[in-house]
Amino acid sequence: MVEKVLQQCGAFFLKFDWKPFLKLHLNFKSHLMNIAILGSGFIARFYAESLHAQRRTDRITSVYSRNLENAKRFADDYQLSHHTDVMQEAVNGKDIDVVLISLPNHLHEVAVAECVKAKKHVICTKPLGRTAAEAKRMLDMVEEAGIFGGYLEDLCYTPKFLKSLESIRQGSIGRVLWAKSRETHPGPHSDWFWDKEKSGGGAIIDLGCHCVEISRNFIGKNIKPLEVMCWADTQVHPIDAEDHAIGLVKYANGAIGQFEVSWAFRGGMDLRDEVMGTEGTIWINSFLRTGFEMFTTGKGDGYVAEKAEVNKGWLFPVGDESHELGYPHMFTDMFSAIEENRDPQETFYDGYVVNAILDAAYKSADTKLWEPVILEDWRGDNPDISRKEFTSYDDDYFLIKEEVLPNGDSKLILKHKVSGEVVQKTN
Ligand SMILES: NC(=O)c1ccc[n+]([C@@H]2O[C@H](COP(=O)([O-])OP(=O)(O)OC[C@H]3O[C@@H](n4cnc5c(N)ncnc54)[C@H](O)[C@@H]3O)[C@@H](O)[C@H]2O)c1
């Protein structure tokens, strides 16, 4: 009898399809990343909040900060098992799968070099470098070492951005003609940002990197950026770098990218994008006006949102800042890419292209001329832009415009295909 039961159990064990359970188990295991974070300041805390939120499985386990007390405070706040004031110690940690660079701009290259030495995958905050030359050295180091290099451009991962990009890829707004991105706020929160040597510049390098990559995504990352025209000035602050700039980036398919950046804007942090295509338009407001408005006399002492200047009167809070700023989707893409042995949506190469565009912007602000984007390493297309396709109305005419007038008339404006004559017809 016992023998029979055991036989039946054995048969059941062999016949049962265990694969989904095994897969679940393997997936679960493979999703665990141990992260060493370098830096314990503003962005490091945002990253930690995002990574340790919502029962996510990936964990920061070690933090490096030049100040041991800050490292300990950070480790205590996020329950990390290790903290240090020696960068190599964090990078070389035995259990560390990936290093997350959250240090000031002038330290990105040395930190990447440490990851390369230790052969640890690296994800680096924006901007990748202070210049294209610096970014290119980081890109080369990572590629030669065969380690993963992810560029943490969070604003290319916001839910609104991802949905817009998908619509554009599906053709909903036709060919993208113009993509404008704006990031303005009253200025950054630490000394080193205001020191041109350490940061690499002012609002252009700090905020322009976001805007340029947003436009580049909308226009198409395989389309070569050709040249840049930029105005920049130091309108308010006693600094060597620019605190306000506007730039145009011309792309090889005729599209134009536009960035508007400022450290002199008052009223919070304004993140807005506008895309114009041959078949449609997209407007995104990512932060200052997300549909959440609140009035308070100032009785409480609530935190409103990043760079909000006041906490009384009419306010524009942000529900889940990490989410609105794209961090969760960004980290998901980065860690999945490491596991799947593929490139993430934003790579070190993208960081390098952004820096090359910003280099041209700085040059143009000086020379007041269109300046070429110098890309010694271009991996995209070189499209033929001499051919333009027009909408045919019939065998003889192209359609220029069709409009219903206030009196109900319908007007057609046409161009003769051979003579070039422009005519109008009213129905
Ligand atoms: N949206 C974003 O993606 C975003 C937002 C803010 C900042 N950032 C980027 O994150 C990086 C850090 O900016 P932050 O806002 O966290 O700055 P922060 O000043 O708040 O923090 C910087 C950290 O680096 C440490 N540090 C400063 N100088 C150092 C030195 N010489 N040696 C060692 N450590 C040093 C500080 O102690 C601190 O831990 C920058 O590259 C910045 O551009 C990205």
Side-chain angles (χ1 to χ4, degrees), residues 111-166:
V112 169
E114 289 301 337
C115 299
V116 165
K117 256 194 260 164
K119 291 256 189 234
K120 290 286 168 77
H121 296 312
V122 54
I123 51 181
C124 181
T125 193
K126 65 79 205 169
L128 184 59
R130 289 171 292 179
T131 60
E134 200 171 63
K136 183 71 168 59
R137 288 197 295 273
M138 288 185 244
L139 169 68
D140 290 346
M141 275 195 276
V142 159
E143 290 189 338
E144 275 160 31
I147 58 171
F148 179 90
Y151 178 50
L152 300 180
E153 179 37 81
D154 57 306
L155 296 180
C156 293
Y157 287 96
T158 72
K160 286 174 186 165
F161 178 87
L162 293 173
K163 177 98 177 175
S164 306
L165 202 57
E166 190 52 33

Side-chain angles (χ1 to χ4, degrees), residues 39-43 47 64 66 102-108 125-127 154 189-190 192-193 210 327:
S40 61
F42 178 88
I43 198 63
Y47 289 160
Y64 152 75
R66 64 182 163 163
S102 315
L103 291 165
N105 301 352
H106 66 297
L107 298 172
H108 292 182
T125 193
K126 65 79 205 169
D154 57 306
H189 43 265
S190 283
W192 66 265
F193 280 98
H210 288 301
Y327 300 122

